[in-house]
Amino acid sequence: MHEIALCNSLVDLIRDQQRQRGFRRVRRVIVEVGVLGHVDPHALDFAFDVEARNSPAEGAVLEIREIQGRAWCMDCSRLVTIARRGEACPDCGGFGLIVEQGEELRLKELEVI
Amino acid sequence: MCGVCGCGKGETRLEMGEQAQGHTAHDHRHHDHEHDHGHTHHDHAHVHHDHDHDHSHHDHSHPAPAGDVHSLRDDPSRRAHLVSVEQDILGKNNALAAHNRRHFNSHGVLALNLVSSPGAGKTSLLVASLQRLLPGTTVAVIEGDQETSADADRIRATGAPAIQVNTGRGCHLDAAMIDEAFHRLHVQDGILFIENVGNLVCPAGFDLGEAHKVVIASVTEGEDKPLKYPNMFAASSLMLVSKVDLLPHLDFDVDLLIANARRVNPSIAVIKVSATTGEGIDRWLKWIGAARDMAVASA
Ligand SMILES: Nc1nc2c(ncn2[C@@H]2O[C@H](COP(=O)(O)OP(=O)(O)OP(=O)(O)O)[C@@H](O)[C@H]2O)c(=O)[nH]1
Ligand SMILES: [Mg+2]
Ligand SMILES: [Zn+2]
């Protein structure tokens, strides 16, 4: 459950934002999560509700936007889409893939009042 | 705020300074804010503040005459707006890991982050390695464990300095723990082994500043481990297949394990080892030597 630690960092970032921008509360937290990364969206959602208590984001909705996995196929010399790690290139069936996108874990936007 | 996203050089210190101030500073502000919010001048300041940030369109559309403050407060949806942040959630850890990496480089230290499932043989392998490396090579060990110090005691019995980091309910080491432990160890021109918490999921996301992650997969686990925990195998430079002395007694397909590891990481190196018989330990130490030479060359 490293999602607890991740939500801790997320709430820290939100406090930084509050300090810089001076909003009162956060109503919606929009994060981008790559489908090839190490984060379980359900665990993240659960952990967020707990970690956001007594913070400006208490009670806020966590909106998770998935980012699809893209990898460079060394055999086809082009970018292909994969749903998870360990999946073959959809074109050549090979595993010579270098992941280029899909590991993101980013606080994108806040809806604040 | 480049220190937060980890891109700034030499800003890590600042970042740590901020961390040292900790949440109390933030909480304070939060409290003041709450106490103040009924004052008219505060709401004005609020609007003005937003004005500086390019996200003020909503605020502009709501004139705030002195008598109308209450209605604004009572209907918060009228002031709700989106602010763009675009920050890596692991940014602070990544910045500290970058700091550790510079620190290791400037001390001539090769740091290796050993990861595995619980009981795959990390400590046994370390003990076998240290017995061969000492006394000729400078070594130190950081032991991550949720509760006990048993592993650090096993390491110290070899004569190597070891620091135990108990993570409590935390299921992984992070860069801040390594920073603190390394300052206490003070290694120079040597090898720093970091035994992470036995867990193939959580440590994958936390860069410690190591030169390489080394994943240990024992032959008593399934051949599909790399496919079940792909991020750890993808992040590792080397897979040590451990406890190979047990192979004659098991129905375990080492080639399938290696093929699965290469499905998620085509460039991962593989060495078969046994801490019990010593098989493969020399090859592992040679791999470490090559990694040291490379680290020195690029430092
Ligand atoms: N047969 C055999 N057993 C081994 C070998 N290496 C470790 N073991 C046994 O495996 C068990 C776990 O070994 P450890 O070295 O404590 O494993 P670990 O990965 O450090 O465990 P945690 O720190 O608890 O995650 C012990 O009972 C060891 O004796 C090996 O090479 N061969
Ligand atoms: Mg151990
Ligand atoms: Zn292909």
Side-chain angles (χ1 to χ4, degrees), chain B residues 24 65 100 125 161 194 226 250 252 261 277:
Chain B
T24 41
N100 288 347
L125 191 81
I194 302 166
L250 301 168
F252 185 88
T277 65

Side-chain angles (χ1 to χ4, degrees), chain A residues 34-86:
Chain A
V35 299
L36 306 181
H38 47 83
V39 177
D40 173 0
H42 296 290
L44 195 70
D45 196 36
F46 175 78
F48 179 75
D49 287 343
V50 177
E51 294 302 311
R53 280 183 203 148
N54 302 313
S55 90
E58 177 161 357
V61 174
L62 182 68
E63 186 177 316
I64 298 174
R65 295 187 188 159
E66 292 198 337
I67 298 192
Q68 68 171 1
R70 301 277 283 163
W72 179 259
C73 177
M74 294 186 276
D75 297 314
C76 302
S77 292
R78 67 181 206 90
L79 277 176
V80 297
T81 299
I82 53 171
R84 66 186 69 83
R85 281 184 182 276

Side-chain angles (χ1 to χ4, degrees), chain B residues 108-124:
Chain B
V109 167
L110 175 77
L112 300 175
N113 181 3
L114 272 58
V115 293
S116 81
S117 313
K122 297 180 295 297
T123 309
S124 305

Side-chain angles (χ1 to χ4, degrees), chain A residues 1-2 4-6 8-10 12-13 15-25 27-28 30-32 36-38 51 55-56 74 85-86 95-97 103 105-113, chain B residues 1 4 18 23 26-27 29-30 33-34 37 46 49-50 53 55 73 76-77 79-90 92 169 171-172 201-202 204-206 227 230-231 234 262-264 266:
Chain A
M1 271 295 284
H2 63 310
I4 292 171
L6 296 177
N8 228 311
S9 307
L10 175 57
D12 278 351
L13 285 184
R15 288 186 201 275
D16 287 348
Q17 287 295 314
Q18 184 187 46
R19 202 163 36 122
Q20 287 172 44
R21 300 177 192 253
F23 50 77
R24 274 184 55 205
R25 303 206 53 76
R27 301 210 312 188
R28 199 153 53 102
I30 299 151
V31 296
E32 289 182 328
L36 306 181
H38 47 83
E51 294 302 311
S55 90
M74 294 186 276
R85 281 184 182 276
F95 294 103
L97 300 174
E103 300 209 274
L105 181 58
R106 200 157 46 219
L107 169 58
K108 189 159 177 59
E109 289 176 306
L110 296 173
E111 186 184 310
V112 301
I113 51 178
Chain B
M1 288 304 290
V4 173
E18 255 184 55
H23 305 301
H26 297 192
D27 288 348
R29 218 190 152 77
H30 182 66
H33 202 115
E34 294 286 291
H37 75 271
H46 193 122
H49 181 85
D50 282 343
H53 274 88
H55 302 286
R73 239 179 43 240
S77 65
R79 295 192 309 174
H81 59 286
L82 281 175
V83 297
S84 169
V85 183
E86 299 286 355
Q87 281 177 355
D88 192 334
I89 293 171
L90 280 165
K92 283 185 184 177
R169 69 167 187 160
C171 43
H172 57 271
V201 181
C202 308
F206 291 83
L227 301 180
N231 291 290
R262 296 219 160 115
R263 272 174 69 165
V264 299

Side-chain angles (χ1 to χ4, degrees), chain B residues 3-278:
Chain B
V4 173
C5 74
C7 66
K9 272 206 166 117
E11 286 180 343
T12 324
R13 282 275 158 214
L14 247 177
E15 187 56 46
M16 290 167 63
E18 255 184 55
Q19 272 200 338
Q21 283 178 29
H23 305 301
T24 41
H26 297 192
D27 288 348
H28 240 280
R29 218 190 152 77
H30 182 66
H31 283 239
D32 290 350
H33 202 115
E34 294 286 291
H35 294 165
D36 269 338
H37 75 271
H39 294 290
T40 308
H41 72 265
H42 179 81
D43 281 6
H44 275 286
H46 193 122
V47 172
H48 181 72
H49 181 85
D50 282 343
H51 188 84
D52 286 336
H53 274 88
D54 271 11
H55 302 286
S56 51
H57 317 293
H58 291 76
D59 294 300
H60 270 296
S61 62
H62 299 302
D68 202 23
V69 171
H70 273 278
S71 66
L72 280 178
R73 239 179 43 240
D74 295 345
D75 183 12
S77 65
R78 291 177 61 193
R79 295 192 309 174
H81 59 286
L82 281 175
V83 297
S84 169
V85 183
E86 299 286 355
Q87 281 177 355
D88 192 334
I89 293 171
L90 280 165
K92 283 185 184 177
N93 186 73
N94 291 343
L96 260 173
H99 160 82
N100 288 347
R101 196 162 275 124
R102 283 193 297 273
H103 208 154
F104 298 149
N105 282 341
S106 67
H107 281 65
V109 167
L110 175 77
L112 300 175
N113 181 3
L114 272 58
V115 293
S116 81
S117 313
K122 297 180 295 297
T123 309
S124 305
L125 191 81
L126 276 177
V127 168
S129 308
L130 295 168
Q131 284 166 348
R132 285 167 178 76
L133 287 166
L134 289 166
T137 310
T138 302
V139 288
V141 180
I142 297 174
E143 278 288 335
D145 215 316
Q146 287 190 290
E147 296 297 341
T148 71
S149 68
D151 282 358
D153 295 340
R154 285 165 68 191
I155 297 295
R156 286 190 198 107
T158 68
I163 284 193
Q164 180 81 37
V165 179
N166 284 121
T167 56
R169 69 167 187 160
C171 43
H172 57 271
L173 292 169
D174 66 31
M177 299 170 185
I178 298 304
D179 180 42
E180 202 190 318
F182 186 68
H183 277 93
R184 285 197 280 147
L185 274 170
H186 253 92
V187 204
Q188 182 90 33
D189 296 316
I191 304 164
L192 174 67
F193 293 102
I194 302 166
E195 178 177 337
N196 217 315
V197 179
N199 178 338
L200 278 178
V201 181
C202 308
F206 291 83
D207 185 4
L208 306 180
E210 72 275 351
H212 300 282
K213 285 191 179 71
V214 175
V215 64
I216 293 146
S218 72
V219 298
T220 54
E221 304 171 64
E223 293 96 341
D224 55 357
K225 271 276 152 91
L227 301 180
K228 284 187 178 160
Y229 304 98
N231 291 290
M232 195 59 98
F233 288 81
S236 298
S237 310
L238 170 67
M239 172 171 75
L240 295 173
V241 182
S242 65
K243 310 191 189 179
V244 292
D245 59 286
L246 297 176
L247 277 174
H249 313 287
L250 301 168
D251 183 20
F252 185 88
D253 186 344
V254 176
D255 292 335
L256 179 58
L257 171 73
I258 296 171
N260 285 337
R262 296 219 160 115
R263 272 174 69 165
V264 299
N265 182 350
S267 61
I268 195 166
V270 179
I271 301 174
K272 300 172 203 171
V273 296
S274 165
T276 303
T277 65

